[in-house]
Amino acid sequence: MNRKVSKAIFPVAGMGTRFLPATKSVPKEIMTLVDRPLIQYAIDEARAAGIEDFIFVTSRGKSALEDYFDLAPDLEASLEASGKTELLEILRNTNMDSGTIAYLRQHKALGLGHAVSCARKLIGDEPFAVILPDDVIAGEKPCLQQMVEAYQETGGAMVATMEVSPAQTSSYGVLDVADQSPRIVTARGMVEKPAAGTAPSNLAVIGRYILTPQVLANFDNIGRGAGGEIQLTDAIAEEIQSGRDVFGYRFEGERYDCGSKAGFLQATVAFALARDDLRDELDAFLTDLHVAKQAAQ
Ligand code: G1P
């Protein structure tokens, strides 16, 4: 099978209720880490991995997301006229070529698996990536690029994975491990949000996937799973049942769970501290906070 991965699905239909009231009018994916919307990090990661076609699975109330990816000719002209070349460059880097983005609506909130399966016709007969924008991964080499490179060797289906504490496994898809090398884990099973104490390992699935069209075909035979939703994990696990390879890829990099407020804040601080224009001021502020806290104890 062809191993070139040129399409990616971005499931962005979630209501983002954990961030209410902000998400009452702003899609979660537009919320900013420092000065870039969450979705921009996902797009940049996809581009670095060679993705050329971007498929957004959206829902009601997400039109701000489509607007974000539109051109801003007036703004560009005004920045150009005033000689603000750096800002102009930042703005232009977010531009997407016409015809490279598709928006699909998931009409019913039936779960992540259902959202991904909505893109079946657009995917056709080639391997594709899925990126969950809530999982922001900082690393020298972007996570999806690491996976695309590994996938050239392995084929099969591949999910990003990392160890989490046993107390956290029930929040994730979890791998049952047959075999592992430092980076590649061969899975013999996969379970979505296992009940406490029943997880087959502490290797959690993180929101980066490289999948084959067969995984989408598996949805024909899959009903509702954990939480009453149609689960992507179940369609991937079906590959293992059918004797096909599923691998976990232990990526290099720091992952932030930006679907939670604590994770979002941690990412904000970490990304700001990584920036030359913000580091010193923020660092001084954090040190002062820490000193004040210790003095109060
Ligand atoms: C989804 C997947 C889960 C995966 C997680 C990673 O869950 O269903 O398998 O481990 O993303 O972030 P969600 O966080 O959407 O509940």
Side-chain angles (χ1 to χ4, degrees), residues 29-275:
E29 299 76 17
I30 295 288
M31 289 175 40
T32 56
L33 285 179
V34 188
D35 51 15
R36 279 143 43 99
L38 265 192
I39 194 66
Q40 188 66 52
Y41 291 89
I43 293 287
D44 290 349
E45 186 178 331
R47 280 175 161 167
I51 299 298
E52 294 160 3
D53 293 304
F54 305 80
I55 302 168
F56 291 85
V57 183
T58 71
S59 61
R60 268 158 253 133
K62 296 279 181 166
S63 47
L65 202 54
E66 293 188 31
D67 291 343
Y68 175 76
F69 286 114
D70 210 340
L71 297 185
D74 296 346
L75 190 52
E76 283 194 20
S78 127
L79 291 175
E80 194 152 25
S82 50
K84 295 188 172 155
T85 45
E86 264 181 48
L87 285 176
L88 188 60
E89 179 72 9
I90 290 171
L91 191 63
R92 287 199 170 137
N93 279 336
T94 65
N95 288 349
M96 308 285 282
D97 292 335
S98 294
T100 60
I101 309 189
Y103 301 96
L104 278 176
R105 261 208 189 178
Q106 184 190 23
H107 294 115
K108 291 183 183 172
L110 295 178
L112 175 63
H114 179 257
V116 169
S117 74
C118 288
R120 189 167 168 185
K121 283 198 179 146
L122 290 184
I123 291 299
D125 192 27
E126 47 185 281
F128 62 96
V130 177
I131 295 187
L132 308 188
D134 274 0
D135 282 330
V136 175
I137 302 173
E140 220 161 280
K141 186 184 280 191
C143 179
L144 189 65
Q145 188 183 349
Q146 297 174 39
M147 289 173 68
V148 164
E149 288 173 10
Y151 175 74
Q152 303 313 315
E153 309 294 321
T154 62
M158 182 177 278
V159 301
T161 188
M162 66 179 243
E163 277 169 29
V164 299
S165 75
Q168 292 175 317
T169 48
S170 58
S171 303
Y172 293 93
V174 178
L175 296 177
D176 190 358
V177 179
D179 193 19
Q180 50 186 317
S181 66
R183 291 265 161 239
I184 310 276
V185 177
T186 305
R188 66 169 166 222
M190 244 177 117
V191 41
E192 180 68 12
K193 310 220 164 82
T198 68
S201 77
N202 62 347
L203 275 179
V205 176
I206 301 303
R208 303 289 183 278
Y209 307 76
I210 299 176
L211 303 173
T212 60
Q214 180 59 47
V215 174
L216 298 178
N218 293 347
F219 283 108
D220 289 343
N221 306 315
I222 282 173
R224 292 176 187 241
E229 297 190 333
I230 298 173
Q231 296 292 352
L232 183 57
T233 296
D234 294 346
I236 302 171
E238 180 64 27
E239 289 294 279
I240 305 172
Q241 300 301 319
S242 305
R244 288 183 287 272
D245 289 336
V246 174
F247 300 104
Y249 183 81
R250 292 174 185 264
F251 55 93
E252 256 176 281
E254 194 65 40
R255 174 258 185 177
Y256 299 93
D257 174 10
C258 291
S260 80
K261 283 178 235 188
F264 202 100
L265 287 169
Q266 286 159 16
T268 302
V269 173
F271 280 50
L273 286 175
R275 292 249 308 233

